Amino acid sequence: MKRRIAEILRSGQPDESIMVQGWIRTKRELKEFAFMEVNDGSSMANLQVVLDKDLPEYENVLKQSNTGASVQVSGVLVESPAKGQRIELKASEIKVFGDSDPETYPLQKKRHSFEFLRAIGHLRGRTNTLGAVFRVRNAVANAIHQFFQERGFLWVHTPIITASDCEGAGEMLAVTSLNLKDVPRLDSDDVDYSQDFFGKPAYLTVSGQLEAEVMAMAFSNVYTFGPTFRAENSNTSRHLAEFWMVEPEMAFCDLTGDMDLAEAFLKYVFKSVLENCPEDMEFFNKRIDKTVLETADNIINNQFERISYTKAVELLEKSNKKFEFPVEWGLDLQSEHERYLAEKYFKKPVIVTDYPIGIKAFYMRLNDDEKTVAAMDILAPKIGEIVGGSQREERLDVLERRIKAQGLDIDNYWWYMDLRRYGTVEHAGFGLGFERLVQFMTGMANIRDVIPFPRAPLTIEF
């Protein structure tokens, strides 16, 4: 019977007959027998396979069984005399599906740089580190769905192609069917979008939030979990042009309810991953960042501090710390400011609320002082902002004023305005960059190493 290696290592017993399929990590030949380590991606650890010399076609099989080759091995589990492993598989039959040239196979038994592994993205999942990353990524995704489904949220699929700019930043990737060698133009020399596929400018979405608000106005509690895009020319360790976002929206919810849900959400996801990927998380703590488990404990077992933006600025100004970027009321907090508050001052996650109107999006609810909005960011040690959310503006007149103030075309938001005309209600939500969360959880230094196929400026391989 075919078994996954993770399950075999966890609960397999001597004398069990099993069959495994996977890829050879290493091979070692001795005089009377040979050892090979096989991995099928289900666990960090390999299953050791023992091949006796009397195995049918032993010499021929051994020639094909090189690192990287795919194999199927049948046999019986036996107690292992070697230190550090409980059982091993004594092979009675082995089949090589696809051999691998040991002279050209790029993954050798040594430590490779992450830059090199990005250049062979089609093979890097076979390494210990990237294998652990993608198992944790899967566990995080599973925990996200479990958290919201257990609370009765509806998972909604928001459009990837859109005509509206949710953030108002203009960093959108265009979608067109026009012939770029002969673009139709109006007398004004502007592009004639009436001849394009949608009849107007279209883009890849930067957020599913506005559409999630639509669904929340019918289903109360919803969440999106899907890809989003930014045409931001940032070649940094924290930016991607294509990334996944988690965005819940809740009707009949204010800023306090939004903060409560976001805090419970982070605690739940971290706890779930520690329970389901203990070996992978131990690996990250040992090999990548020795504070990974400490950071997880800090998230799970601390009540998050809650302070206003105004208070945060006061604390930064009084810190006597020299920052690269200026600290001043009205300016956005930079990563160094956020990390100081979370790492140095409070030494735990911090929720900063009520940001100045000038640095936040049009859809955030205007506070009574008309200087700030009911926004919140969760700042975490080692990374800074990890969650951004707000109570949404439910008043039609205020929303219309805010859209115009940001220079956006109000006609593009007619449907969004209708939500305030027909049964408006206070509502709130937040957004979390999925890759940022995986990066934070694993301690990986570069965000391009926590997504299977990174998309960034001048990077679109695989």
Side-chain angles (χ1 to χ4, degrees):
M1 182 179 69
K2 180 182 175 182
R3 303 268 294 277
R4 294 285 275 172
I5 287 175
E7 191 267 327
I8 293 169
L9 295 175
R10 183 171 56 249
S11 58
Q13 296 299 319
D15 299 326
E16 282 188 67
S17 295
I18 64 163
M19 182 260 282
V20 296
Q21 295 170 330
W23 292 266
I24 298 172
R25 288 285 179 90
T26 63
K27 179 182 71 172
R28 184 161 52 100
E29 297 181 44
L30 300 177
K31 191 172 183 180
E32 297 297 325
F33 51 88
F35 295 106
M36 65 173 61
E37 301 277 331
V38 177
N39 191 288
D40 64 1
S42 63
S43 72
M44 172 75 64
N46 307 317
L47 176 63
Q48 179 163 283
V49 176
V50 184
L51 288 75
D52 284 336
K53 200 170 185 179
D54 58 2
L55 195 70
E57 296 195 47
Y58 176 81
E59 296 295 339
N60 187 43
V61 165
L62 217 55
K63 285 180 182 177
Q64 298 179 68
S65 300
N66 297 307
T67 299
S70 53
V71 295
Q72 174 178 296
V73 185
S74 299
V76 176
L77 292 177
V78 297
E79 290 186 8
S80 176
K83 189 177 180 181
Q85 57 190 28
R86 184 176 62 87
I87 54 174
E88 59 191 23
L89 177 60
K90 185 174 182 180
S92 58
E93 182 182 358
I94 181 167
K95 176 181 178 181
V96 179
F97 286 114
D99 59 8
S100 176
D101 184 351
E103 299 298 321
T104 60
Y105 186 61
L107 294 174
Q108 300 301 318
K109 195 176 180 181
K110 64 177 183 178
R111 184 170 292 187
H112 298 285
S113 72
F114 293 125
E115 290 79 7
F116 171 75
L117 293 177
R118 271 175 237 137
I120 54 166
H122 56 304
L123 296 172
R124 67 177 183 164
R126 300 185 190 183
T127 64
N128 284 341
T129 303
L130 275 297
V133 165
F134 298 137
R135 281 188 295 272
V136 167
R137 183 184 171 99
N138 172 71
V140 175
N142 188 49
I144 287 167
H145 284 299
Q146 285 183 335
F147 175 84
F148 289 115
Q149 292 294 326
E150 287 173 7
R151 286 158 179 77
F153 279 66
L154 186 77
W155 180 25
V156 298
H157 305 117
T158 52
I160 289 175
I161 301 174
T162 182
S164 61
D165 181 358
C166 175
E167 299 297 328
E171 296 167 336
M172 304 178 77
L173 288 160
V175 175
T176 183
S177 64
L178 294 175
N179 180 359
L180 298 184
K181 294 181 179 179
D182 186 20
V183 178
R185 296 190 178 276
L186 302 168
D187 293 340
S188 62
D189 206 36
D190 291 334
V191 175
D192 183 4
Y193 283 106
S194 68
Q195 298 187 44
D196 206 351
F197 187 88
F198 294 105
K200 60 167 65 175
Y203 309 93
L204 295 178
T205 184
V206 299
S207 169
Q209 179 204 310
L210 303 189
E211 292 85 358
E213 286 186 54
V214 169
M215 300 300 284
M217 292 302 103
F219 298 96
S220 296
N221 292 336
V222 304
Y223 71 104
T224 75
F225 185 15
T228 53
F229 308 84
R230 300 282 166 89
E232 188 176 6
N233 193 18
S234 297
N235 278 293
T236 76
S237 62
R238 297 185 63 201
H239 289 88
L240 290 167
E242 176 184 318
F243 55 97
W244 284 58
M245 284 279 285
V246 181
E247 297 177 294
E249 288 291 328
M250 296 79 69
F252 308 99
C253 181
D254 60 10
L255 186 65
T256 299
D258 198 30
M259 291 188 286
D260 290 344
L261 186 84
E263 181 171 345
F265 169 76
L266 286 176
K267 291 177 185 294
Y268 182 100
V269 172
F270 269 85
K271 188 170 185 292
S272 178
V273 171
L274 287 182
E275 290 173 352
N276 288 288
C277 295
E279 293 167 351
D280 294 319
M281 293 299 288
E282 287 282 359
F283 172 84
F284 291 121
N285 197 69
K286 183 178 180 180
R287 297 288 183 88
I288 303 298
D289 180 345
K290 297 187 186 304
T291 66
V292 160
L293 296 180
E294 178 187 333
T295 298
D297 181 74
N298 196 348
I299 293 285
I300 295 168
N301 295 312
N302 272 314
Q303 183 174 346
F304 294 9
E305 191 72 29
R306 300 186 182 188
I307 61 171
S308 68
Y309 166 89
T310 300
K311 179 65 175 178
V313 170
E314 289 176 4
L315 292 175
L316 291 166
E317 288 176 333
K318 293 177 181 177
S319 68
N320 295 320
K321 179 174 174 57
K322 187 173 178 61
F323 295 108
E324 180 183 353
F325 293 93
V327 176
E328 181 183 330
W329 200 98
L331 298 180
D332 207 355
L333 299 181
Q334 300 298 315
S335 180
E336 60 176 338
H337 308 142
E338 296 167 344
R339 292 187 60 175
Y340 171 81
L341 292 169
E343 290 175 29
K344 305 297 184 184
Y345 192 86
F346 290 107
K347 296 182 173 60
K348 64 178 181 177
V350 184
I351 307 180
V352 178
T353 65
D354 303 311
Y355 282 80
I357 186 175
I359 59 174
K360 290 296 181 181
F362 70 89
Y363 51 74
M364 297 186 178
R365 194 182 199 279
L366 187 64
N367 287 328
D368 292 341
D369 61 11
E370 298 223 347
K371 295 179 180 178
T372 61
V373 291
M376 68 93 178
D377 286 345
I378 298 183
L379 316 181
K382 302 185 74 62
I383 193 170
E385 180 195 341
I386 192 168
V387 169
S390 73
Q391 185 172 336
R392 315 311 190 188
E393 184 54 76
E394 85 281 7
R395 298 163 295 185
L396 179 62
D397 58 331
V398 179
L399 179 61
E400 185 173 351
R401 177 158 46 101
R402 295 276 282 122
I403 291 175
K404 289 179 178 177
Q406 293 208 6
L408 300 173
D409 186 351
I410 201 164
D411 291 339
N412 288 338
Y413 298 92
W414 64 270
W415 51 274
Y416 192 65
M417 309 288 285
D418 267 3
L419 297 177
R420 279 72 180 169
R421 292 188 178 97
Y422 310 123
T424 191
V425 64
E426 66 178 11
H427 58 290
F430 63 82
L432 172 139
F434 180 56
E435 282 74 23
R436 288 267 182 96
L437 178 58
V438 177
Q439 185 183 11
F440 176 45
M441 191 171 286
T442 60
M444 295 294 288
N446 197 310
I447 199 166
R448 300 184 193 193
D449 297 324
V450 298
I451 188 170
F453 308 105
R455 300 290 183 250
L458 305 179
T459 303
I460 194 167
E461 293 296 322
F462 314 111

